[in-house]
Amino acid sequence: MNRTVIYPGSFDPVTLGHLEVIRRASKLFDKVIVAVLINSAKTPTFSIEERMQLLTDAVAGLDNVEIAGFEGLLAAYCRQRGVNAIVKGLRAVSDFEYEFQMAIANKKLNPELETIFITADADAMYLSSSMVREIGSMGGDISNFVPACVHDRIVERLRKSSL
Ligand code: COA
């Protein structure tokens, strides 16, 4: 049986916390589809092309990982891709209620769907994309928060968007 999982998110931008979830999921599943939300209530700082390119570079070497964009309902996208599993990172107790709600709503929309949680690495417990954006746009050091291979591009982009 070929087991594929979808890891959805805004990834605005990708962080080391996301990369850790992708790495660990890629060991548990035959294939990981990292699904980047195209339209969101949140107005992204990084365009969909930028977010997907940063992710593509960050996962280089992980051969069973695909980066894709998706619009609309996640449950519908999973059905469209023929995938029955979603993976999410769980950082702190505060994530739990929201994630629990989403997992149940997704299952109501698509009863075949299971949501699997990977507990975040201790180092990523506090991390979020908005924290990276805020620190980076104010000239702070984000090297402990984002993958090294995309660090300079993220810094440059945040510097420009804060001008
Ligand atoms: N490491 C670091 N940061 C993490 C993380 C981890 N392991 N897990 C989550 N985060 C961060 C994210 O970067 C995000 O940061 P931000 O708010 O500063 O941008 C924050 O924690 C929240 O993450 P998440 O809850 O995964 O939100 P998201 O915006 O990245 O993704 C979707 C949300 C795309 C999964 C969700 O909105 C969705 O499914 N949308 C489609 C529409 C739909 O189906 N709606 C009904 C759902 S029931």
Side-chain angles (χ1 to χ4, degrees):
M1 189 175 177
N2 193 315
R3 291 186 191 276
T4 301
V5 71
I6 287 184
Y7 179 34
S10 303
F11 305 105
D12 187 33
V14 60
T15 67
L16 283 173
H18 297 133
L19 191 56
E20 177 66 14
V21 173
I22 297 169
R23 270 206 199 106
R24 285 160 62 189
S26 75
K27 289 185 194 154
L28 295 171
F29 289 85
D30 297 311
K31 183 173 177 178
V32 180
I33 300 172
V34 180
V36 188
L37 185 64
I38 295 177
N39 286 330
S40 159
K42 299 178 182 177
T43 308
T45 298
F46 291 79
S47 69
I48 179 66
E49 292 79 16
E50 288 171 323
R51 285 179 282 145
M52 288 178 67
Q53 189 58 56
L54 292 170
L55 274 161
T56 302
D57 296 345
V59 304
L62 296 176
D63 296 336
N64 60 342
V65 177
E66 173 191 333
I67 310 298
F70 84 104
E71 272 181 290
L73 286 176
L74 176 61
Y77 180 68
C78 290
R79 190 177 282 123
Q80 182 199 319
R81 296 293 311 253
V83 174
N84 289 338
I86 294 170
V87 68
K88 296 286 312 256
L90 207 53
R91 292 165 301 170
V93 180
S94 52
D95 276 349
F96 182 77
E97 202 172 330
Y98 173 69
E99 292 296 348
F100 191 69
Q101 223 177 11
M102 294 234 289
I104 290 178
N106 281 322
K107 201 164 178 60
K108 289 273 177 222
L109 292 168
N110 178 350
E112 297 298 309
L113 263 180
E114 296 297 342
T115 302
I116 290 138
F117 296 104
I118 288 186
T119 49
D121 214 52
D123 289 343
M125 278 293 177
Y126 57 89
L127 205 51
S128 72
S129 297
S130 46
M131 199 180 88
V132 165
R133 291 197 303 273
E134 186 171 337
I135 297 173
S137 63
M138 292 179 182
D141 179 6
I142 56 166
S143 55
N144 286 324
F145 310 140
V146 299
C149 63
V150 294
H151 170 271
D152 291 358
R153 253 179 296 152
I154 293 176
V155 168
E156 178 69 7
R157 179 69 178 71
L158 290 174
R159 199 186 56 82
K160 276 190 191 148
S161 62
S162 68
L163 289 177

